[in-house]
Amino acid sequence: MRNILIVAGKEIQEGLRNRWVLATTLLLAGLALSLTFLGSAPTGNVGVRALDVVIVSLSSLTIFLLPLIALLISHDAIVGEMERGTMLLMLSYPIGRWQVMLGKFVGHVAILAFATVLGYGAAALALALTGAVVDAASWLAFASMIGSSILLGAIFIAIGYLVSALARDRGTAAGLAIGIWLLFVLIYDMALLGLLVVDQGKIISGGALNALLLLNPTDAYRLFNLTGFASVSTFAGMAGLAGTAGLGPRVLLATLAAWVFLPLALATFAFSRREL
Amino acid sequence: MTASINLQDVTRRFGAIEAVRAVSLALPPGETVALVGHNGAGKTTLMKLMLGLIHPTAGTVQVLGENPAAGQFAARRRLGYLPESVAFNTALTARETLAFYARLKREPVARMGDLLDRVGLGAAADRRVGTYSKGMRQRLGLAQALIGAPAVMLLDEPTTGLDPALRHSFYEIIQELRDRGATVLLSSHALTELEERAERVIIMNRGIMVANGSVDDLRRIACLPVRIRIAAPADSLAAIPEWVGPIGTCRRINGHVVEVQVGLEQKIEVLKRSVAHGTVDDLDIVPPTLDDLYAHFLMSQEMPA
Ligand SMILES: Nc1ncnc2c1ncn2[C@@H]1O[C@H](COP(=O)(O)OP(=O)(O)OP(=O)(O)O)[C@@H](O)[C@H]1O
Ligand SMILES: [Mg+2]
């Protein structure tokens, strides 16, 4: 346990030093702030359920951005340290490989959580300062949006580690990471949509569709945030889907958690088998 | 006394390459051991096996009574390692880097300042490692290997890139460690440097351990001739081959020096005769160097006699 914290501490220290933390926080805050105010300006209704509108737009932003940032931080974590030779030295110390992996995970998730809370929190704070009335339900929805965003980031950090533990060199790892991002964020949904259009509801049942949605963590995240709270789903145009989907927030959260655990376990296994 | 490092019939294969073949050795505490061999002889592989960073294909490795690859870490806390091309994260300072490694070994971080002074990095301790020169990185590498006064030190080409002053204090540090009972295994290509400092020399050739013993042991085993340089006045130089002729072979070095190669046991005879002949101005005895021994052991393996 102590080793995990030591490694996590070092990752955070490095992240602060090479300005990963700063850059990520500023990027998220900047985008969140502009979405908040640009998004509500045309409708002119800053006051009415303004935070719910923000949740909808921020969660769409998250789906694109957080996986990208997470993969950028994580794809290099194992293979990069091996290539640079720093891994060899660290593993000669009294520390297990699984501890190295978990330590990095804790550190990287902490960096991402810090940036998300601060960046998105700034947007909510700014909104509150403009005098918008926000009720408790909306705050809850907003908090769970931040929480699940961090979870989504953690998923892609774990996936990045798996790539990093398997890839032969850094270039391959970077290529694979980009491929994975494209797959989950763009291609998967497009392919699914195409499939549904072609199928016309003949073969793919509601249950199969649910399974297909859960197979992509970004879809699970989207469903969780856009259908989980009644107030939000009306704005997201998902009110209908929320009722029929049959995927409650618990199932979605469990799916997200599984998406963290599985790649992380596989990455730890792959790393422990890897020759130095 | 039980050995700190014990290898039995250790073989390590990388695909078709046998990097280490059936090596058995036992290194006691308080000994400085030089590991020499050509590039690709298996020196680094041997150290990685001792660290448990790679598993042996066959045979058993024991370091401080533990199998280092078994995932128990008690022994590793008392072990220092300097990899051959040491690398650090460039974003952190030397002080932060050492603090990290000290925490992993559960050593007090406060003591790291002294260690940095010891390797001459005191002034640069708060600079980012990315700005360091190669020799400074090597010094930092040495500092991290010294954390916690280890009982076993594995140093892979530790003096490459060190300036003469630090090279000197490096060997002082090694001496101190040995006096405290540490086993120090160091690989190097600088054979002359090791000659007086290592109690034991292990010579590797293409994965096989071809020699293991003190420099004197190896001299005895190798039976290499001793070279005796005799300086004499020019007119009596020609006579030298006559009186040493039956014992060794002579070679003229210049106008007043002749080099005689004789077997170890005939050394005294040559001395006696030089005294008897009285025409000798000066005399130097050059025993076979580690370089000579190294060449001999590599050769003798190529062409088994
Ligand atoms: N991970 C690896 N995969 C494949 N072959 C390897 C690996 N590590 C070492 N080898 C091979 O094992 C042999 C011994 O390598 P090793 O690094 O131990 O040599 P060395 O004695 O340290 O050489 P040098 O003096 O150049 O440092 C070499 O032929 C090398 O190519
Ligand atoms: Mg080597």
Side-chain angles (χ1 to χ4, degrees), chain B residues 43-44 84 156-157:
Chain B
K43 304 181 295 293
T44 301
E84 60 183 340
D156 206 348
E157 305 187 22

Side-chain angles (χ1 to χ4, degrees), chain A residues 41-66:
Chain A
T43 53
N45 61 346
V46 171
V48 186
R49 308 223 65 88
L51 196 60
D52 294 338
V53 178
V54 170
I55 291 173
V56 174
S57 49
L58 274 191
S59 52
S60 306
L61 171 72
T62 303
I63 286 172
F64 278 89
L65 206 55
L66 275 194

Side-chain angles (χ1 to χ4, degrees), chain B residues 202-285:
Chain B
I202 291 172
I203 302 179
M204 297 291 294
N205 183 17
R206 289 185 289 161
I208 297 174
M209 186 173 76
V210 290
N212 175 6
S214 72
V215 178
D216 286 332
D217 287 343
L218 297 190
R219 282 198 184 117
R220 223 171 301 121
I221 297 167
C223 289
L224 288 186
V226 178
R227 280 174 306 187
I228 301 175
R229 292 189 167 196
I230 303 170
D235 52 339
S236 54
L237 210 60
I240 294 178
E242 284 166 30
W243 52 264
V244 292
I247 308 173
T249 52
C250 293
R251 191 162 62 95
R252 216 186 176 121
I253 302 288
N254 58 34
H256 46 268
V257 179
V258 166
E259 188 181 272
V260 188
Q261 290 207 354
V262 297
L264 207 55
E265 62 289 345
Q266 275 134 353
K267 189 168 67 180
I268 302 298
E269 183 58 29
V270 173
L271 293 187
K272 278 185 192 155
R273 289 190 190 195
S274 351
V275 174
H277 283 262
T279 51
V280 173
D281 289 338
D282 194 7
L283 192 143
D284 269 321
I285 299 178

Side-chain angles (χ1 to χ4, degrees), chain A residues 2-3 6-7 10 13-14 17-18 84-86 88-97 275-276, chain B residues 12 48 51 53-54 73 76 81 83 86-89 91-92 96 100-101 103-106 144 147:
Chain A
R2 189 147 154 216
N3 280 342
I6 292 170
V7 175
K10 176 171 162 276
Q13 201 176 22
E14 277 173 27
R17 190 62 50 81
N18 54 32
R84 284 190 295 270
T86 47
L88 180 72
L89 188 57
M90 176 148 56
L91 291 181
S92 77
Y93 275 76
I95 182 170
R97 292 193 183 194
E275 285 279 350
L276 276 180
Chain B
R12 171 67 214 208
K48 286 187 182 171
L51 285 161
L53 291 174
I54 52 178
F73 297 129
R76 283 215 190 157
Y81 173 50
V86 66
F88 298 101
N89 189 290
L92 302 183
E96 289 163 344
F100 169 67
Y101 289 118
R103 286 190 197 108
L104 284 182
K105 277 195 173 170
R106 308 286 187 265
Q144 64 77 29
I147 293 173

Side-chain angles (χ1 to χ4, degrees), chain A residues 276, chain B residues 14 17 19 37-46 84 157 189:
Chain A
L276 276 180
Chain B
F14 291 109
I17 303 165
H38 58 87
N39 293 126
K43 304 181 295 293
T44 301
T45 306
L46 216 45
E84 60 183 340
E157 305 187 22
H189 294 293

Side-chain angles (χ1 to χ4, degrees), chain B residues 5-289:
Chain B
I5 300 177
N6 209 328
L7 265 62
Q8 252 167 30
D9 267 327
V10 171
T11 297
R12 171 67 214 208
R13 234 174 262 127
F14 291 109
I17 303 165
E18 275 197 312
V20 170
R21 290 187 230 182
V23 170
S24 298
L25 53 85
L27 307 180
E31 213 174 61
T32 304
V33 184
L35 183 60
V36 301
H38 58 87
N39 293 126
K43 304 181 295 293
T44 301
T45 306
L46 216 45
M47 290 201 180
K48 286 187 182 171
L49 283 165
M50 292 172 185
L51 285 161
L53 291 174
I54 52 178
H55 295 256
T57 311
T60 56
V61 181
Q62 284 242 316
V63 175
L64 296 168
E66 260 186 20
N67 173 5
Q72 312 147 311
F73 297 129
R76 283 215 190 157
R77 215 161 283 168
R78 300 199 291 136
L79 202 141
Y81 173 50
L82 175 60
E84 60 183 340
S85 42
V86 66
F88 298 101
N89 189 290
T90 50
L92 302 183
T93 67
R95 202 184 294 282
E96 289 163 344
T97 304
L98 273 198
F100 169 67
Y101 289 118
R103 286 190 197 108
L104 284 182
K105 277 195 173 170
R106 308 286 187 265
E107 290 292 327
V109 172
R111 226 177 280 157
M112 293 304 115
D114 295 342
L115 207 48
L116 283 166
D117 288 335
R118 186 99 185 266
V119 297
L121 283 179
D126 293 310
R127 267 168 55 190
R128 289 180 19 187
V129 177
T131 67
Y132 275 19
S133 70
K134 170 165 168 37
M136 289 165 83
R137 280 199 302 274
Q138 189 73 7
R139 288 171 183 222
L140 184 57
L142 187 58
Q144 64 77 29
L146 289 169
I147 293 173
V152 168
M153 292 280 276
L154 303 175
L155 309 171
D156 206 348
E157 305 187 22
T159 54
T160 47
L162 293 186
D163 58 41
L166 201 84
R167 216 169 259 248
H168 185 76
S169 47
F170 165 74
Y171 283 113
E172 271 176 15
I173 294 172
I174 297 304
Q175 178 95 36
E176 256 174 60
L177 281 169
R178 180 187 47 190
D179 293 344
R180 271 195 286 104
T183 306
V184 183
L185 179 66
L186 58 119
S187 84
S188 177
H189 294 293
L191 301 182
T192 33
E193 248 176 52
L194 297 173
E195 191 158 354
E196 314 101 70
R197 281 149 182 142
E199 273 101 52
R200 186 203 287 258
V201 179
I202 291 172
I203 302 179
M204 297 291 294
N205 183 17
R206 289 185 289 161
I208 297 174
M209 186 173 76
V210 290
N212 175 6
S214 72
V215 178
D216 286 332
D217 287 343
L218 297 190
R219 282 198 184 117
R220 223 171 301 121
I221 297 167
C223 289
L224 288 186
V226 178
R227 280 174 306 187
I228 301 175
R229 292 189 167 196
I230 303 170
D235 52 339
S236 54
L237 210 60
I240 294 178
E242 284 166 30
W243 52 264
V244 292
I247 308 173
T249 52
C250 293
R251 191 162 62 95
R252 216 186 176 121
I253 302 288
N254 58 34
H256 46 268
V257 179
V258 166
E259 188 181 272
V260 188
Q261 290 207 354
V262 297
L264 207 55
E265 62 289 345
Q266 275 134 353
K267 189 168 67 180
I268 302 298
E269 183 58 29
V270 173
L271 293 187
K272 278 185 192 155
R273 289 190 190 195
S274 351
V275 174
H277 283 262
T279 51
V280 173
D281 289 338
D282 194 7
L283 192 143
D284 269 321
I285 299 178
V286 190
T289 61

